[in-house]
Amino acid sequence: MTTDLIDVAGLPAATNRTLSTPEPDTYRTAMGLLPTGVTVVTSGSGEDTEALTVSSVTSVSLVPLLLLISIGADGRLRRRVEQNRAFTVNVLGTGQEELSGRFASHGRPHGTAAQELLGPRTGRTGNALVEGAALSVDCEVEHEYPGGDHVLFIGRVAALHMPDEPPAPLVYHRGRYAALDRKGAAA
């Protein structure tokens, strides 16, 4: 394995600042430095479809298989997940930026209009699956925890839906979509 080194000679020295009481907007900007995958979390299907673009997704455990999502405490998706006791995390692939944007907006579609944009398939838990996603993970709610203005749901994985040749994942970094450099990736 080789590592490409960057010559920093001649570059100005980096400065650091410490903010002991950052404001929410500053915190949001700072967290934008952490690249994240882009997902659309769904709960329900057909007339009951709710979907939201979410970047706060974490694999929690292998035994049992657990996945965590963080979503707004006052949103429609939270109510649907609590009602269905299930959610599906759909990992978007490159080329699905428009879909991500549609489900990131406050005026995002729901019900059959959302299902039409996502695609016709549903998973084992009855939730809409995103057509062309790199991965879809069906989960049944195992735990729910308050997290400030968000709610953390930990789901037990009920099924994985993976294409034979998944697209490269869609990545978000510093307020915009980014691409992974797949050159030299380990075989």
Side-chain angles (χ1 to χ4, degrees):
M1 182 167 117
T2 63
T3 303
D4 294 329
L5 300 177
I6 299 172
D7 181 9
V8 294
L11 292 177
T15 60
N16 287 310
R17 39 187 183 133
T18 301
L19 301 171
S20 58
T21 55
E23 296 295 320
D25 287 343
T26 304
Y27 181 69
R28 178 183 301 211
T29 300
M31 293 310 297
L33 297 173
L34 176 65
T36 62
V38 181
T39 71
V40 170
V41 175
T42 59
S43 189
S45 60
E47 293 179 4
D48 295 326
T49 304
E50 288 294 348
L52 177 68
T53 299
V54 174
S55 59
S56 297
V57 175
T58 302
S59 174
V60 173
S61 171
L62 293 176
V63 180
L65 299 176
L66 298 175
L67 183 70
L68 177 144
I69 61 170
S70 173
I71 58 175
D74 296 329
R76 296 186 323 233
L77 182 61
R78 177 201 181 166
R79 291 188 295 277
R80 180 68 69 218
V81 170
E82 287 179 335
Q83 178 184 19
N84 293 342
R85 303 306 296 164
F87 61 87
T88 298
V89 174
N90 298 277
V91 178
L92 300 187
T94 54
Q96 293 186 307
E97 294 85 351
E98 185 177 330
L99 188 67
S100 167
R102 288 293 300 272
F103 288 101
S105 71
H106 289 291
R108 69 187 181 277
H110 58 98
T112 54
Q115 180 83 54
E116 288 174 10
L117 287 171
L118 299 168
R121 298 182 316 129
T122 58
R124 180 174 170 193
T125 57
N127 301 318
L129 300 178
V130 172
E131 197 67 37
L135 168 68
S136 296
V137 185
D138 270 325
C139 297
E140 296 169 343
V141 174
E142 185 91 0
H143 302 286
E144 177 181 343
Y145 302 103
D149 60 357
H150 278 59
V151 174
L152 308 177
F153 286 101
I154 296 179
R156 184 179 290 259
V157 175
L160 298 174
H161 308 274
M162 301 181 294
D164 291 335
E165 294 187 34
L170 186 58
V171 177
Y172 200 72
H173 181 243
R174 298 185 103 173
R176 61 183 170 266
Y177 297 109
L180 293 178
D181 179 8
R182 297 181 74 143
K183 291 184 236 171

